Amino acid sequence: MAATPAKIIYTHTDEAPLLATYSFLPIISAYAAKAGVDVETRDISLAGRIISQFPERMTDEQKVADHLAELGELATKPEANIIKLPNVSASIPQLKAAIKELQGQGYDLPDYPENPQTDEEKAVRAAYDKTKGSAVNPVLREGNSDRRAPAAVKGYAKQYPHRMGAWTSESKTNVATMGKDDFRSNEKSVIVEADDTLSIVHVGADGTETVLKDAVKVLAGEVVDGTFMNVAALRRFLTEQIARAKAEDVLFSVHLKATMMKVSDPIIFGHAVQAFFPTLFEQYGEQLAAAGISPNDGLGALMSSVADLPDGDAIAASVKQGLADGPRMAMVDDRKGITNLHVPSDVIIDASMPAMIRTSGHMWGPDGNEDDCLAVIPDSSYAGVYQTVIDDCRAHGAFDPATMGSVPNVGLMAKAAEEYGSHDKTFEVPAAGRVEVRSGAGDVLMAHDVEPGDIWRACQTKDAPIRDWVKLAVTRARASQTPAIFWLDETRAHDANLIGLVTEYLKEHDTDGLTIEIMAPAEACAYSLERIRKGEDTISVTGNVLRDYNTDLFPILEVGTSAKMLSIVPLMNGGGLFETGAGGSAPKHVQQLVNENYLRWDSLGEFFALAASFEHLAGYADNKGAQVLADTLDAATATFLLEDKSPTRKIGGIDNRGSHFYLAMYWAQEIAKQTEDADLAAVFKPFAEKLTAAEDTIVGELNAVQGSPADIGGYYRPDDAKSDAVMRPSATLNEALAAL
């Protein structure tokens, strides 16, 4: 029998994580090679995904293989060992910006067709649509999620608690949500009895049938849901909340997920833009539409495009008047005039809501000051979770990172489970009528009466991932002796079906002595918060969307960031996917690097993922050296935290590059003194001594470049040579690694 290859795949992604890779990957590769472990890269960046869709238009030097598809296939195999860094889940404005940059770099790419008419334009649009939104995660996640704060990170946060804003009982911050006529209230759900092929059909008022999606393959036991948001009700709701924010004199903000929910939420965002500027769209809506300017792309795209229109000045004046007439709007960057409604991907709910809660329930206003806000979350599925946290803070004050407990997460996500809005089963309804989900035999499994512009969507959750999810929850509860709460609402159609399955599958496991309960999300949140304030931990067992929300919400409150989480995905066929944390702050870090040659990105998530990856490899490849690398990296990371070698926020201290050096030095020191592998110790002893002796020189070389602009040759597609030079400015460190 052939030996299992000792190989780790490290993903080439985007923005700050990509820049950090230029610095950290040479260290990883050098250390791994000494243990007989190969480290290879695969390009799943937004730019790489775009280029891979048009091989016939590329030169041989420009071509990028479809590495995402390759990794998706690998994830189904037992030898999979993939380290997944954060990537851009592109909104349409981001996608267009990436295309424009690549065209400027000489890539023969077509423009993004807003309204494709010809077959060629439709094919181009279909190719681009494969790359936008959460295109990567559903492909790679062939297992469920186990995400938690490592003990070292939690210990550091308790010893050195991050700053939390004070809360008062007078806070006027609240969440506004629809509660009816939305996705939550209109949901229907069925469990398919046998393998089948479904279709989604729109039946017009005159009986005309249009197939929205055919050949939807489902397996026996699969949970299939359908729902819609009534857009007339949405518009009334948005108008009411704009008026409410003004009456209560709080900042108005909209919180959506216009990346992961790549069809539905950009449309909702566009309705928010129109609702905030009613006069603008009443007077100039047709002219804007004729010019291809969509409110879905945000106020920023609109303002950058109107100068060339005949009424450009009047349109700009109307926007200015709309801002004056409406409530004060929450700002993304008050210094640059970038509002909450400028770019759909600027205010992502899972990052924006925790940041707001951490900062006294405040967002930034147009005057440059913090203030209370009305957080508008149209769909009510999970809005109550955030309201529960806000109410708790209003009643009991801010959380204390030095004493608070933790909320690790077990998330249902395998085989694209519950990827609402990330797939090809979401539609803006073209005409009044009904949307029906039909079986292969033509039976109607569910139906909704809809109006023009309503947003209809479906999702699938296969049975095998649900069983695996329940098993993982029990495993984690027993391993940590921690209560595990399934965040499921019996009054919601999808959750009601899952509750039945969870209840049945729990019987297959030994749960004696464990606390495992099922609660509606708001109730589960309140229960967890009560325990948090006592310093107690509670596992949240959730579906995929709540996994996304909770694994930002609680880590940001507990340890100040979600980028430092340990995120393991035990793949269902035996492999491992190791994720390195969230990348929501990555764009600001790139801007700082370009302006000041200083990268604040913290690679701690990569350190934890790498250690888990080595440990996994040691098991399946029977590689003693890989286990030594895992154990010593964990020890080095603990020293790294205790010595406080994470990047500082401002120039003058060490940045990402300096943090990598210190991790490398501590890691080499640990390998040199371990006794499990004498050969590895002998190799690393002189290397560790070399780094230790050269510490001041290396740090000086790394810090010397700070303060001046840096040229990396592109945002979405940085130039490798330029980026390598920027991210590896220490000749002493580079020479030492080369010698190793």
Side-chain angles (χ1 to χ4, degrees):
M1 182 182 294
T4 303
K7 180 189 298 184
I8 293 173
I9 305 298
Y10 207 86
T11 53
H12 175 108
T13 58
D14 301 285
E15 298 178 324
L18 170 59
L19 293 173
T21 298
Y22 284 106
S23 168
F24 190 39
L25 189 59
I27 297 169
I28 299 171
S29 298
Y31 284 47
K34 294 303 177 184
V37 177
D38 291 331
V39 180
E40 299 179 0
T41 60
R42 297 293 186 275
D43 186 352
I44 59 170
S45 66
L46 174 59
R49 301 195 316 264
I50 290 171
I51 295 167
S52 73
Q53 295 299 313
F54 301 95
E56 72 284 353
R57 303 176 72 118
M58 301 295 130
T59 66
D60 289 342
E61 293 76 18
Q62 292 175 329
K63 286 181 179 178
V64 176
D66 191 346
H67 287 165
L68 178 58
E70 178 188 336
L71 291 186
E73 182 177 349
L74 176 62
T76 65
K77 298 178 179 179
E79 66 268 24
N81 192 333
I82 304 167
I83 295 179
K84 159 67 170 63
L85 279 71
N87 63 278
V88 167
S89 293
S91 64
I92 291 178
Q94 287 174 305
L95 178 58
K96 291 177 179 176
I99 295 167
K100 184 176 181 181
E101 178 180 303
L102 289 167
Q103 290 171 335
Q105 293 175 346
Y107 290 88
D108 179 25
L109 291 168
D111 291 335
Y112 180 82
E114 284 283 1
N115 298 295
Q117 302 298 321
T118 66
D119 289 344
E120 181 181 0
E121 289 175 340
K122 291 176 181 177
V124 169
R125 174 67 177 264
Y128 278 135
D129 284 350
K130 291 179 182 178
T131 69
K132 73 183 183 186
S134 186
V136 171
N137 292 336
V139 175
L140 299 186
R141 288 171 171 168
E142 285 288 323
N144 291 310
S145 169
D146 174 8
R147 186 172 286 192
R148 56 193 185 273
V153 171
K154 191 67 175 174
Y156 180 84
K158 289 186 174 185
Q159 188 172 352
Y160 304 101
H162 58 275
R163 188 167 56 88
M164 300 280 274
W167 275 80
T168 71
S169 58
E170 287 76 37
S171 170
K172 296 190 290 184
T173 292
N174 280 296
V175 171
T177 192
M178 292 176 70
K180 59 181 181 179
D181 296 318
D182 61 356
F183 295 126
R184 160 70 178 76
S185 58
N186 288 326
E187 187 174 68
K188 297 181 181 181
S189 180
V190 297
I191 299 178
V192 179
E193 293 184 359
D195 293 2
D196 202 350
T197 301
L198 311 183
S199 59
I200 303 170
V201 181
H202 177 267
V203 183
D206 61 356
T208 301
E209 295 192 357
T210 304
V211 177
L212 300 177
K213 178 71 177 176
D214 61 1
V216 179
K217 294 183 179 180
V218 293
L219 302 177
E222 191 159 345
V223 180
V224 179
D225 311 319
T227 187
F228 76 101
M229 177 175 282
N230 181 285
V231 166
L234 169 67
R235 291 297 291 268
R236 289 193 299 271
F237 165 77
L238 291 169
T239 299
E240 290 166 0
Q241 302 319 310
I242 291 166
R244 174 184 170 185
K246 184 159 187 174
E248 296 179 2
D249 192 25
V250 293
L251 301 175
F252 174 84
S253 59
V254 175
H255 301 261
L256 295 165
K257 183 89 169 176
T259 49
M260 181 182 184
M261 315 298 194
K262 65 183 181 182
V263 179
S264 59
D265 283 26
I267 297 172
I268 297 171
F269 183 85
H271 285 294
V273 173
Q274 293 176 76
F276 201 94
F277 299 97
T279 303
L280 168 68
F281 285 93
E282 285 170 10
Q283 293 181 341
Y284 304 105
E286 291 185 6
Q287 186 177 147
L288 292 170
I293 300 171
S294 170
N296 299 6
D297 292 346
L299 188 60
L302 185 152
M303 291 301 294
S304 65
S305 303
V306 298
D308 297 330
L309 298 184
D311 293 322
D313 291 343
I315 292 171
S318 182
V319 170
K320 185 176 181 180
Q321 188 62 48
L323 289 170
D325 293 342
R328 292 174 300 136
M329 198 186 299
M331 306 296 287
V332 170
D333 190 332
D334 59 278
R335 294 165 299 180
K336 297 180 180 179
I338 300 175
T339 72
N340 174 266
L341 295 177
H342 257 65
V343 183
S345 57
D346 268 355
V347 184
I348 300 299
I349 182 171
D350 41 340
S352 61
M353 287 300 296
M356 179 264 278
I357 292 167
R358 183 184 164 190
T359 314
S360 310
H362 291 167
M363 296 186 75
W364 291 100
D367 60 357
N369 295 314
E370 295 178 22
D371 206 347
D372 294 336
C373 60
L374 182 64
V376 176
I377 305 173
D379 180 49
S380 58
S381 294
Y382 305 121
V385 169
Y386 295 114
Q387 184 67 56
T388 297
V389 183
I390 289 169
D391 289 342
D392 187 273
C393 290
R394 191 160 29 226
H396 304 293
F399 297 98
D400 183 355
T403 61
M404 68 189 293
S406 187
V407 182
N409 179 264
V410 172
L412 172 60
M413 66 180 192
K415 297 190 179 296
E418 292 191 287
E419 282 289 344
Y420 266 137
S422 300
H423 44 57
D424 53 0
K425 293 185 289 294
T426 303
F427 309 97
E428 191 169 22
V429 174
R434 288 166 61 83
V435 175
E436 299 179 348
V437 177
R438 297 176 182 174
S439 70
D443 298 325
V444 177
L445 302 182
M446 67 185 84
H448 295 94
D449 293 329
V450 291
E451 297 296 328
D454 287 353
I455 307 165
W456 190 96
R457 67 189 190 189
C459 80
Q460 303 167 242
T461 311
K462 292 177 170 55
D463 184 59
I466 298 171
R467 289 176 181 270
D468 183 77
W469 177 55
V470 173
K471 176 185 176 182
L472 183 58
V474 174
T475 300
R476 290 300 309 144
R478 186 163 298 284
S480 59
Q481 287 297 302
T482 305
I485 309 301
F486 284 84
W487 292 39
L488 297 170
D489 183 354
E490 64 182 4
T491 67
R492 179 183 165 192
H494 167 85
D495 285 12
N497 273 332
L498 256 63
I499 287 172
L501 296 171
V502 167
T503 302
E504 190 64 29
Y505 297 156
L506 281 172
K507 298 174 184 176
E508 300 172 359
H509 303 281
D510 176 13
T511 59
D512 288 348
L514 302 180
T515 299
I516 297 179
E517 299 186 39
I518 298 172
M519 300 180 186
E523 179 189 2
C525 183
Y527 175 85
S528 303
L529 294 176
E530 183 180 357
R531 290 177 55 84
I532 277 176
R533 290 192 182 273
K534 298 176 187 175
E536 298 172 340
D537 301 343
T538 314
I539 299 171
S540 65
V541 189
T542 70
N544 200 12
V545 176
L546 255 183
R547 175 204 58 81
D548 227 23
Y549 294 179
N550 281 6
T551 55
D552 274 309
L553 172 62
F554 293 107
I556 286 173
L557 298 178
E558 293 171 26
V559 300
T561 176
S562 57
K564 298 180 180 181
M565 300 297 286
L566 175 61
S567 182
I568 298 174
V569 182
L571 299 174
M572 291 172 62
N573 289 334
L577 174 68
F578 306 92
E579 299 185 304
T580 66
S585 59
K588 292 182 180 179
H589 293 178
V590 179
Q591 294 165 12
Q592 186 176 17
L593 176 83
V594 171
N595 292 334
E596 302 177 340
N597 204 345
Y598 189 87
L599 186 65
R600 202 171 77 232
W601 177 257
D602 191 337
S603 292
L604 192 62
E606 284 97 299
F607 304 164
F608 289 122
L610 181 60
S613 172
F614 277 128
E615 183 170 28
H616 178 68
L617 184 145
Y620 72 75
D622 192 24
N623 184 313
K624 182 176 69 173
Q627 187 62 56
V628 168
L629 291 181
D631 294 339
T632 53
L633 178 53
D634 273 337
T637 303
T639 303
F640 173 91
L641 286 168
L642 290 174
E643 295 294 328
D644 198 17
K645 296 303 182 183
S646 293
T648 56
R649 294 186 65 84
K650 297 179 181 179
I651 61 173
I654 62 167
D655 74 344
N656 176 265
R657 297 164 287 195
S659 73
H660 291 162
F661 160 68
Y662 276 107
L663 189 279
M665 185 177 75
Y666 297 144
W667 193 5
Q669 291 169 352
E670 292 290 342
I671 299 171
K673 69 184 183 184
Q674 55 81 32
T675 59
E676 295 298 317
D677 190 323
D679 291 340
L680 267 182
V683 168
F684 276 89
K685 187 174 186 296
F687 179 69
E689 292 171 349
K690 183 185 295 186
L691 293 189
T692 304
E695 176 184 350
D696 291 344
T697 300
I698 292 171
V699 172
E701 290 172 348
L702 293 172
N703 289 2
V705 301
Q706 296 177 17
S708 301
D711 179 12
I712 56 174
Y715 184 90
Y716 292 99
R717 193 70 171 175
D719 178 87
D720 284 338
K722 290 181 177 180
S723 299
D724 192 71
V726 167
M727 292 305 300
R728 303 186 67 201
S730 169
T732 305
L733 177 58
N734 297 345
E735 289 165 5
L737 284 170
L740 179 66

